[in-house]
Amino acid sequence: FARDAVVICPFGEPGRAAWRALHEATGARGDSPSRIVAFDLNPERVAAAALAGEPVVYGDGCSAELLRAAGVDRPRAVIVTYRAEARCLEATRRLRDALPPGTPLYVREPRAGGAPALRAAGATDVLSETAELALRFAAVLGDLDADDAPAVRARLATDGGAAGAV
């Protein structure tokens, strides 16, 4: 893998979606797919990914030692998509302590209202499924101008997603 690869952990459904989007974007730019690597502790998931030709390494992607052992010592970015809130928080803290300064760390918010704790733990940005779903519905319905999206995201992040409940 490239030493500056984008790291995704774990490779569950949100991780796979992130991988597909990044793979398509890097392919369109002509970048090497080796610039994206995922880590997962589920052996069946890792085996299935290997059979599909997807770059997934067995292990805890929040381990700085494992990242270095896989050849990724200066990740371009890290994407954390754990389902459990406590695991996202732990991963964010561990990675922020281990990553080179300035490394972007994007974290899934598993529960509405968890963004402040994740940011305090070192997340560069917190992605709320509730907020993103609300934005998508608003865009589909034509009620949201693209310039309004940042303000809507900020409002949803501060009120725990209540404004975006559909």
Side-chain angles (χ1 to χ4, degrees):
F1 302 105
R3 59 188 304 249
D4 66 340
V6 172
V7 173
I8 300 170
C9 55
F11 200 62
E13 186 177 331
R16 284 191 306 273
W19 182 84
R20 281 190 301 274
L22 288 167
H23 185 73
E24 289 174 16
T26 58
R29 287 194 315 261
D31 286 351
S32 167
S34 69
R35 295 185 58 134
I36 308 166
V37 60
F39 293 85
D40 203 289
L41 289 168
N42 180 319
E44 291 87 16
R45 196 179 291 156
V46 173
L51 289 173
E54 299 164 336
V56 181
V57 174
Y58 178 79
D60 182 359
C62 300
S63 164
E65 296 80 24
L66 180 59
L67 293 178
R68 283 191 289 278
V72 182
D73 58 357
R74 297 196 60 81
R76 260 188 315 163
V78 178
I79 299 170
V80 176
T81 64
Y82 292 107
R83 183 179 316 174
E85 180 180 7
R87 182 68 169 127
C88 279
L89 196 54
E90 173 199 0
T92 302
R93 286 183 184 130
R94 286 177 57 196
L95 286 163
R96 182 50 65 208
D97 288 344
L99 292 171
T103 303
L105 178 56
Y106 302 103
V107 184
R108 170 189 185 194
E109 178 188 32
R111 180 187 62 82
L118 290 166
R119 283 191 187 92
T124 304
D125 198 5
V126 177
L127 305 171
S128 166
E129 293 174 51
T130 303
E132 293 305 316
L133 184 61
L135 287 168
R136 297 281 296 195
F137 279 133
V140 167
L141 296 172
D143 294 335
L144 182 68
D145 186 292
D147 294 333
D148 295 331
V152 172
R153 278 190 185 95
R155 178 163 177 240
L156 290 170
T158 58
D159 72 7
V166 178

